[in-house]
Amino acid sequence: ESLAADRARGFDLATPPLLRLSLFILGDDICQFTWTHHHLLLDGWSAAIVLQEVAALYQAYARSESLQLPRRRPFRDYISWLREQNLPEAEQFWRRELRGLSAPTPLGSQTSQAHSRRAEEQYQEMQVQLSRQSTEALQRFARSQQVTLNTMVQGAWALLLWRYSGEAEVVFGTVVSGRPAALEGVEQMVGMFINTLPVRVDVAEEQVVGEWLR
């Protein structure tokens, strides 16, 4: 109940901090610690780094030991790096890559604004876990075609959009880590790095799946 209320409370982006810490005493020797934060602060990679540091500090405290954590490069260095990039050149690149497109490809069910509103009101989430056999079969196929499992998933989504939209060419967004290799120490920086980039896919019906994925 407390977790549901915390989620419903949300965050006011104009009022820092964009995180909350809660400790629940469930018994004499049972506690639950909850860390709620806005996604603007951290991506998944960064959250793992923070949790590793918290665990290391906790273990050191439990052993009455001191611990000196490594100094990490500050997130502001990434912002400075971004400002140094050639934004007009990047804009020209994406305008060239997306020429002829004006919007992401909708699912075929989104045929009207009214229908879209009804679909949003009825939105539900379902999680499906593949069996080990299915996962291993997908991995074997990916290796045999010399592509990554991620490429297969992106391709499956492209085929789904193609099938239900009726369009020969589809475009959708994919999330990337956004950590530039040119920035030294970026793999240990804490902040929000992820970005969403457009993927434009031409579905050629005459090609076999493996050839098309490659």
Side-chain angles (χ1 to χ4, degrees), residues 35-189:
W35 172 32
T36 308
H37 67 274
H38 197 286
H39 203 0
L40 280 174
L41 292 183
L42 301 167
D43 55 22
W45 187 324
S46 298
I49 293 175
V50 172
L51 290 175
Q52 287 172 1
E53 291 193 349
V54 170
L57 288 169
Y58 179 81
Q59 292 171 3
Y61 177 78
R63 296 192 296 263
S64 299
E65 299 174 355
S66 61
L67 177 65
Q68 187 67 37
L69 293 172
R71 291 182 61 85
R72 303 189 186 277
R73 193 165 184 178
F75 185 70
R76 61 175 174 268
D77 287 359
Y78 170 67
I79 300 301
S80 298
W81 179 88
L82 279 180
R83 290 172 176 168
E84 294 172 357
Q85 304 312 299
N86 190 330
L87 295 183
E89 181 180 347
E91 181 180 349
Q92 290 177 8
F93 170 84
W94 287 112
R95 286 188 179 278
R96 183 171 62 252
E97 291 295 315
L98 300 175
R99 186 177 293 119
L101 298 173
S102 59
T105 305
L107 282 172
S109 60
Q110 299 171 342
T111 54
S112 69
Q113 190 174 20
H115 186 280
S116 296
R117 284 197 298 268
R118 289 197 302 272
E120 184 177 353
E121 293 169 357
Q122 298 171 2
Y123 172 82
Q124 293 182 346
E125 181 176 314
M126 181 176 67
Q127 295 185 5
V128 178
Q129 185 170 354
L130 297 179
S131 67
R132 173 175 293 186
Q133 292 79 6
S134 296
T135 302
E136 291 175 346
L138 289 171
Q139 291 171 336
R140 284 195 302 271
F141 181 77
R143 286 194 298 268
S144 70
Q145 301 303 317
Q146 298 181 327
V147 299
T148 65
L149 198 57
N150 180 62
T151 296
M152 287 182 55
V153 173
Q154 301 278 9
W157 178 241
L159 288 175
L160 184 75
L161 286 177
W162 167 75
R163 171 66 177 81
Y164 286 101
S165 69
E167 300 180 14
E169 191 176 51
V170 300
V171 62
F172 57 91
T174 185
V175 178
V176 296
S177 68
R179 293 176 183 255
L183 188 60
E184 185 178 355
V186 70
E187 68 279 356
Q188 293 299 320
M189 292 173 67

